[in-house]
Amino acid sequence: MTVAKEHAARRGVIGAINEAHHRAVLGLYMVIVLAHWAEHLVQAYQIWVLGWARPQARGVLGMPFPWLVSSEWLHYGYAIVMLIGLFALRPGFVGRARTWWTIALAIQFWHHIEHLFLLLQVQAGFLLPGTSVPTSFAQLLIPRVELHLFYNSIVFLPMLVAMYLHLRPNEQELQLQRCNCTLEGRQRLAATNSGS
């Protein structure tokens, strides 16, 4: 076993995904995030540009599978996947990039709380006074489609800043990075793998 693999094995899965596999796992995670965000954008386009009624505006996947739009389990599941991904990938970020990634994590934690509250309403069979459907706290002020487009945007934007800074570290951050996201990081891991 190489030195890098031994080190990653000692640190477990979190260590491996934040060092030797950070680039791949981060890329996969971003595909999931972008696909979900695209669903919200398509739904907004269906409402605001095409003029569809909100119940008919179900995004791309919701058209052939309408139950997806109304499944609180699915929405909560995505919120928790986002939260876990932000948490699990955080150790790979350093310096300024870590600050921005942490901002996205904090916002997603609240977004997760909102989805948990919606799921609990469905599971317990109760609604907030004056509402006819499960309603989150912020949804009392902002309609659901706009609210979740907003939430996904304000989580995604600090993620973008974090990734930009992560791929363009300053000299001090470069010394702290242990992942394979930059050319220097890949070279450092290759040197470690060869035992030098």
Side-chain angles (χ1 to χ4, degrees), residues 20 25 35 52-54 64 69 72 78 94 120 135 138 155 159:
V25 174
W52 293 9
R54 288 175 186 262
V69 176
E72 290 302 339
Y78 177 76
V94 298
L120 290 174
T135 305
V155 169
M159 287 173 66

Side-chain angles (χ1 to χ4, degrees), residues 4 8 11 14-28 89 91-94 163 166-169 173-174 176-193:
R11 295 208 33 211
I14 297 296
I17 67 171
N18 284 290
E19 291 175 9
H21 304 293
H22 197 241
R23 184 180 171 120
V25 174
L26 187 57
L28 175 63
L89 289 163
F93 289 87
V94 298
M163 288 186 299
H166 183 64
L167 296 174
R168 290 159 185 79
E173 292 164 341
L174 188 58
L176 295 172
Q177 276 187 342
R178 296 289 169 247
C179 69
N180 64 342
C181 293
T182 62
L183 176 61
E184 294 85 352
R186 288 190 293 280
Q187 290 170 342
R188 183 174 38 245
L189 283 171
T192 304
N193 277 336

Side-chain angles (χ1 to χ4, degrees), residues 12 28 39 66 73-74 126 129 134 141 146 158 161 170 173 185 189 194-195:
L28 175 63
E39 281 289 325
W73 273 109
L74 180 76
F126 79 92
L141 303 171
E146 289 82 354
V161 173
N170 62 33
E173 292 164 341
L189 283 171
S194 67

Side-chain angles (χ1 to χ4, degrees), residues 57-130:
R58 298 186 297 258
V60 176
L61 291 176
M63 296 310 288
F65 307 107
W67 62 270
L68 288 175
V69 176
S70 59
S71 170
E72 290 302 339
W73 273 109
L74 180 76
H75 291 286
Y76 179 74
Y78 177 76
I80 202 79
V81 164
M82 277 290 295
L83 189 61
I84 290 168
L86 285 162
F87 180 77
L89 289 163
R90 185 172 175 261
F93 289 87
V94 298
R96 300 166 300 155
R98 186 180 182 111
T99 299
W100 284 97
W101 195 260
T102 303
I103 291 168
L105 174 63
I107 297 167
Q108 182 58 31
F109 180 77
W110 174 252
H111 188 187
H112 152 265
I113 295 295
E114 291 261 289
H115 276 293
L116 178 60
F117 186 60
L118 289 165
L119 181 63
L120 290 174
Q121 287 177 65
V122 170
Q123 295 305 302
F126 79 92
L127 298 175
L128 294 177

